[in-house]
Amino acid sequence: MSRYMSARFDGLEAYVPGEQPQDMQYVKLNTNESPFPPSPQVLEAVNAAQTARLNLYPDPEGKVLRARLAAMYEVKPENVFLANGSDELLSFAFMAFCDEERPVAFPNISYGFYPVYASLYQVPSTEIPLKEDFSLDPGDYCGLNQNIVIANPNAPTGRAISVADIEEIVRTNPDHVVLIDEAYIDFGGESCLPLIRKYDNLLVCQTFSKFRSLAGGRLGFALASPGLIADLDKIKYSTNSYNINRLTMAAAIATLDSNDYYVENGKKIQENRAWTTAELAKLGFETLPSLTNFIFTRCPQVEGGTFYQRLKSKGVLVRHWNKPEIADWCRVTIGTREQMEFFLDKVREILKEAG
Ligand code: PMP
């Protein structure tokens, strides 16, 4: 930190993103991207008219895309908010809804950005422990009287809670915002989105980064009551009114035009997830049940950090955290069948070397 930086950030520990090697020499199973490229329609849409119009600002309201998302999710455009990745959405939500008087609670093992935003915006936060099997007890959040952020399904565990449980949490915290981060909802989970019609304190966040193969485009969106959306708009128009660039907007619309392609890819990911989990079980791995495009797994012989390092030295990147509760575990993104075969070959080598 230079001597010019505000002292209010002295205690801030920034988020550390997963490795993004630029030479592409790894089988990359570390940041939950889709292994499948965007659909041909997306490539066409980005290449055509939009690049020639980059001299012009994009539509700050993202009208066309918001209308398309609203139609798809059977809500109104005033229920939809667009953000530059769901990370920006989370940032805006923490800024809009949390402060000293409105603290926030989230699970102790979840997406690493939640505590960072709490710290950035100087919001008191409570980390509620998951149970021993990494499942979440919804009772811990009922009547909590704080803002609540829950990733459902959770990351990095992959476990989900039911829509009925979410409803109970939302219903019993009427004076606070309950943010459900559904980044991984399209890989077999059930969205709590229909509840936004009934509860004006529910904010559902989704992203184009995973199921829709658009991590590099940076597009997240929220679905909520018009009141919460207007609050987010106020923050957006006070931060960066053109937060979705022209190319991403065009790519996203073309993505929605080619939904079947993504549904097919999603099925393949679910098949590969089941197959990889079964193969790992044969090797003695313990893997949590997952409704996402990744699995959280524990090697029977090799400690998590070492397992991660060995895989990396063999050309496979996965994610490991030096956090005591999960130090034995690694998170492995589900890729193509070929990528998972390569991963499993390397796992077998590591087990052999470990004796
Ligand atoms: N929420 C969760 C639970 C995530 O795992 C991620 C991906 N790292 C995000 C949000 C952010 O995704 P993006 O900003 O790419 O939409």
Side-chain angles (χ1 to χ4, degrees):
M1 245 167 61
S2 81
R3 65 195 171 93
Y4 303 105
M5 193 171 194
S6 163
R8 74 179 188 281
F9 300 119
D10 281 355
L12 177 63
E13 264 185 60
Y15 179 71
V16 182
E19 296 156 89
Q20 305 296 353
Q22 297 304 310
D23 45 9
M24 296 307 281
Q25 61 188 345
Y26 293 100
V27 169
K28 201 171 168 304
L29 307 177
N30 69 329
T31 48
N32 298 342
E33 291 136 323
S34 173
F36 304 111
S39 72
Q41 289 94 316
V42 170
L43 303 188
E44 224 171 90
V46 171
N47 284 339
Q50 292 305 327
T51 28
R53 291 164 65 83
L54 278 176
N55 54 319
L56 303 176
Y57 284 112
D59 172 13
E61 290 179 48
K63 271 203 208 79
V64 178
L65 178 54
R66 277 175 56 219
R68 289 293 306 272
L69 281 168
M72 180 160 179
Y73 290 104
E74 298 177 346
V75 295
K76 301 210 168 87
E78 39 299 12
N79 297 115
V80 185
F81 177 84
L82 305 176
N84 193 311
S86 44
D87 284 339
E88 187 186 59
L89 187 51
L90 292 165
S91 172
F92 286 174
F94 272 77
M95 214 191 305
F97 306 118
C98 304
D99 58 31
E100 280 280 328
E101 276 79 49
R102 294 172 168 273
V104 64
F106 40 79
N108 65 331
I109 298 163
S110 192
Y111 185 34
F113 236 131
Y114 305 153
V116 175
Y117 286 132
S119 172
L120 175 64
Y121 297 119
Q122 315 201 328
V123 177
S125 60
T126 313
E127 299 200 4
I128 300 181
L130 294 178
K131 293 198 275 191
E132 205 140 291
D133 63 355
F134 298 114
S135 64
L136 181 150
D137 184 349
D140 290 342
Y141 295 83
C142 290
L144 198 60
N145 218 23
Q146 293 187 36
N147 290 318
I148 292 168
V149 180
I150 293 174
N152 194 52
N154 196 13
T157 66
R159 302 198 83 133
I161 56 172
S162 70
V163 171
D165 286 337
I166 291 172
E167 176 158 16
E168 205 47 22
I169 294 169
V170 176
R171 190 184 66 78
T172 57
N173 290 283
D175 297 327
H176 289 84
V177 173
V178 177
L179 187 160
I180 303 295
D181 179 347
E182 293 190 338
Y184 301 102
I185 198 65
D186 295 305
F187 298 100
E190 191 191 350
S191 174
C192 67
L193 162 66
L195 297 178
I196 68 165
R197 292 198 191 88
K198 209 163 149 193
Y199 300 96
D200 60 11
N201 61 325
L202 171 63
L203 183 65
V204 181
C205 297
Q206 294 198 8
T207 179
F208 276 56
S209 293
K210 319 291 178 184
F211 179 79
R212 294 188 171 105
S213 296
L214 211 62
R218 314 303 299 126
L219 183 70
F221 60 101
L223 302 159
S225 59
L228 293 188
I229 299 297
D231 297 339
L232 291 171
D233 265 333
K234 187 166 185 173
I235 299 295
K236 165 186 145 160
Y237 284 106
S238 308
T239 308
N240 178 13
S241 37
Y242 302 113
N243 65 335
I244 313 300
N245 73 73
R246 201 170 259 289
L247 301 185
T248 296
M249 207 94 81
I253 292 164
T255 297
L256 299 181
D257 286 339
S258 37
N259 199 44
D260 292 352
Y261 168 82
Y262 296 97
V263 171
E264 274 313 302
N265 289 346
K267 276 190 206 144
K268 285 182 207 153
I269 296 291
Q270 291 190 47
E271 282 161 23
N272 294 346
R273 179 178 74 201
W275 180 76
T276 306
T277 304
E279 291 299 306
L280 285 172
K282 288 183 203 160
L283 301 173
F285 278 67
E286 184 184 350
T287 304
L288 297 186
S290 169
L291 284 175
T292 64
N293 67 338
F294 59 83
I295 49 173
F296 204 45
T297 191
R298 171 157 67 174
C299 178
Q301 275 120 306
V302 184
E303 176 272 328
T306 312
F307 181 67
Y308 154 82
Q309 281 299 346
R310 300 248 163 99
L311 277 173
K312 186 172 176 183
S313 71
K314 292 173 184 296
V316 181
L317 272 186
V318 299
R319 194 92 196 258
H320 175 259
W321 289 268
N322 278 322
K323 193 170 171 162
E325 303 93 322
I326 53 171
D328 283 348
W329 298 75
C330 281
R331 190 193 69 188
V332 182
T333 304
I334 300 298
T336 60
R337 175 71 181 240
E338 293 71 31
Q339 287 178 315
M340 301 327 285
E341 278 170 8
F342 187 83
F343 159 73
L344 285 161
D345 282 348
K346 300 303 159 190
V347 169
R348 288 188 196 99
E349 281 177 29
I350 291 168
L351 294 181
K352 216 182 261 168
E353 286 157 14

